[in-house]
Amino acid sequence: MKILIIGSGGREHALAWSIFDSPLCDELIIAPGNPGIAQLGRCEAVSAEDTAALVALAKNEAADLVIVGPEVPLVNGLADDLIAANIPVFGPHAAAARLEGSKAFARDFCDRHNIPQPKWQNFTKAEAATAFAAKLNGYCVIKADGLAAGKGVVVCSNLKEAEQAIIELLGGRFGLASQEILVEERITGPELSAFALMDGKSVLWLASAQDYKRAFDGDAGPNTGGMGAVSPSPHETDVLRDQIMSTIITPVAKGMAAEGCPYNGVLYAGLMLTEGGPKVIEFNCRFGDPEAQVVLPRLKSDFLSAALTVVEGGLENFDLRWIDQTAVTVVMAADGYPGSYQKGQPIHGADQLETAAGGLIFHAGTASADDGQLISAGGRVLAVTALGNDRQLARSEAYAAVKTVFWPDAMFRTDIAAD
Ligand code: AMP
Ligand code: GLY
């Protein structure tokens, strides 16, 4: 089969790596890809956000399956356009991707289907939003309704902070995405990312992970796209998994089907484990980045075969097998990320995906200079993953693999999976 993967980050490198080895895959194309991904397949310079050009590429190549990595093309309707062109796609329709594309849609949906979540309301006017924040004693979270690359959320401890955030967001900090905002009750507890496959009817639990969102050790500093991850989450138990499936994942699948927009693809539920049970913080309509870099390396089953089952139906009979180990990934970022940072710094020792010691180096923001030298080209540059029999072993293997990369200005957290 000819498989086309859309995206250019560490998540897509992990997807390409897991599909490259599949006996079902004859040819792998990635748009636009990156230098690491280029070792596994042919990269085509088409932007992941140019829907029309992606559909044309998929048609020209006669792709047997398109796997979409990031959220923006899904929210913009890439899956709909591919299906209209008779090209099978792993990733939800725009109507189902609204679970990520509109936080107000996701919250309303949870209310309609009794899915546990914090109290919330949506607003377009600052005065009413502030009044609701005052009801919550200022201990609340202010969110842009639309996509804001993970940055449209302000966690507040008092009314003054809440007021300021409300004014900034409604004042256009995220353009159209924050014309409407949500004010939510601020809930507390450990966070867990839950991943499940959905074929429109059936659901299959995939994995849990924990993401480290803050830039610096000890969960200090600004929010980032994710500085590291561990899978499974240290909080996962059989009982918790059953509870998440029965109170959140299955009701999402049933609710979407009942509302006429069945969900196909991977659902990523960002949860908080509160004293009253797991509650929904957010939904994403795709794999996490860097969570994919710890979930996929643990998978013993053929991911491509699972993805095809998602597209064709029949997940209820699909048996997923896992490697009985923990995976840890450490993100190596450019110094200054998520603020301003330099690009073009040479990186040595990251040319091979598999390190001699068994680590995996997934590329995110890398490029090849004219002379072929690998250079940094983004904020999050590499995600270095290792497996181990327990969290501590996986963690020390991952940091040992980080040491094999020579990039003096790299910034990375030293406490991923330490707690
Ligand atoms: P989101 O982009 O919605 O995942 O939010 C980013 C981060 O903000 C989450 O990972 C949580 O740490 C925090 N957060 C979001 N919503 C809430 C909430 N209602 N209560 C407490 N923390 C929240
Ligand atoms: N790591 C968070 C995300 O992918 O949204």
Side-chain angles (χ1 to χ4, degrees):
M1 296 180 90
K2 207 179 203 184
I3 312 298
L4 170 61
I5 297 178
I6 310 297
S8 62
R11 165 183 51 208
E12 288 76 22
H13 197 179
L15 282 165
W17 169 75
S18 59
I19 281 167
F20 175 78
D21 265 344
S22 167
L24 299 170
C25 177
D26 302 311
E27 194 176 344
L28 187 56
I29 306 164
I30 311 92
N34 66 37
I37 297 175
Q39 295 177 358
L40 301 169
R42 168 160 54 93
C43 291
E44 290 290 340
V46 178
S47 160
E49 299 189 5
D50 188 342
T51 307
L54 291 172
V55 175
L57 175 67
K59 272 192 193 164
N60 287 343
E61 295 287 352
D64 295 299
L65 176 69
V66 178
I67 297 182
V68 187
E71 65 276 15
V72 172
L74 291 166
V75 171
N76 289 343
L78 176 60
D80 307 62
D81 292 353
L82 287 168
I83 291 163
N86 269 327
I87 298 164
V89 54
F90 177 90
H93 287 275
R98 279 181 298 171
L99 281 176
E100 176 164 5
S102 166
K103 289 185 190 287
F105 172 84
R107 291 287 184 224
D108 264 329
F109 174 85
C110 287
D111 279 347
R112 287 197 292 280
H113 299 281
N114 287 321
I115 296 168
Q117 62 174 349
K119 293 193 196 93
W120 73 285
Q121 277 188 32
N122 51 331
F123 301 94
T124 51
K125 298 268 184 297
E127 205 174 308
T130 308
F132 185 63
K135 265 197 200 159
L136 300 169
N137 295 322
Y139 199 74
C140 63
V141 181
I142 315 296
K143 299 184 174 179
D145 173 61
L147 291 182
K151 297 185 183 105
V153 174
V154 187
V155 180
C156 305
S157 300
N158 56 56
L159 192 56
K160 206 169 153 217
E161 284 173 14
E163 249 183 311
Q164 196 178 338
I166 288 167
I167 287 165
E168 270 183 35
L169 262 64
L170 283 176
R173 179 149 138 217
F174 296 102
L176 285 179
S178 66
Q179 264 185 345
E180 180 178 338
I181 59 165
L182 279 71
V183 178
E184 295 183 0
E185 168 196 11
R186 178 172 166 190
I187 54 176
T188 49
E191 289 183 49
L192 178 144
S193 306
F195 296 90
L197 295 177
M198 299 190 173
D199 66 5
K201 274 202 289 211
S202 305
V203 294
L204 186 62
W205 171 267
L206 201 55
S208 69
Q210 184 180 337
D211 179 17
Y212 293 76
K213 286 202 170 81
R214 301 285 186 147
F216 309 131
D217 284 4
D219 281 334
N223 254 327
T224 70
M227 294 299 291
V230 55
S231 179
S233 154
H235 300 286
E236 183 181 331
T237 61
D238 290 351
V239 171
L240 180 65
R241 193 178 59 214
D242 289 349
Q243 194 182 7
I244 293 171
M245 282 299 272
S246 63
T247 64
I248 296 168
I249 306 288
T250 304
V252 169
K254 284 195 172 149
M256 292 307 277
E259 293 192 11
C261 35
Y263 192 102
N264 283 72
V266 59
L267 180 78
Y268 163 174
L271 309 176
M272 199 164 258
L273 308 177
T274 73
E275 281 180 0
K279 293 190 178 172
V280 174
I281 292 284
E282 62 159 359
F283 290 121
N284 297 306
C285 60
R286 36 119 191 135
F287 272 111
D289 187 344
E291 290 95 325
Q293 294 92 306
V294 283
V295 169
L296 293 168
R298 288 181 47 232
L299 190 58
K300 203 188 278 176
S301 303
D302 180 8
F303 176 70
L304 180 52
S305 158
L308 288 166
T309 310
V310 163
V311 174
E312 288 158 9
L315 267 184
E316 63 279 12
N317 299 319
F318 200 87
D319 185 21
L320 274 181
R321 300 288 166 95
W322 296 91
I323 296 169
D324 189 18
Q325 286 189 314
T326 299
V328 169
T329 197
V330 177
V331 169
M332 299 179 76
D335 192 24
Y337 172 78
S340 57
Y341 51 82
Q342 283 193 359
K343 292 183 184 175
Q345 295 178 336
I347 301 168
H348 297 273
D351 300 308
Q352 298 300 319
L353 193 152
E354 291 179 34
T355 71
L360 297 167
I361 301 180
F362 296 114
H363 288 216
T366 62
S368 289
D370 292 343
D371 62 357
Q373 171 64 47
L374 188 72
I375 53 173
S376 63
R380 292 191 294 173
V381 173
L382 302 168
V384 182
T385 299
L387 291 166
N389 285 340
D390 62 31
R391 194 148 47 99
Q392 285 313 320
L393 289 170
R395 169 183 149 71
S396 49
E397 291 293 323
Y399 279 105
V402 165
K403 282 207 182 120
T404 68
V405 177
F406 187 71
W407 173 25
D409 281 347
M411 175 187 96
F412 56 88
R413 279 181 62 161
T414 64
D415 64 346
I416 302 301
D419 49 355

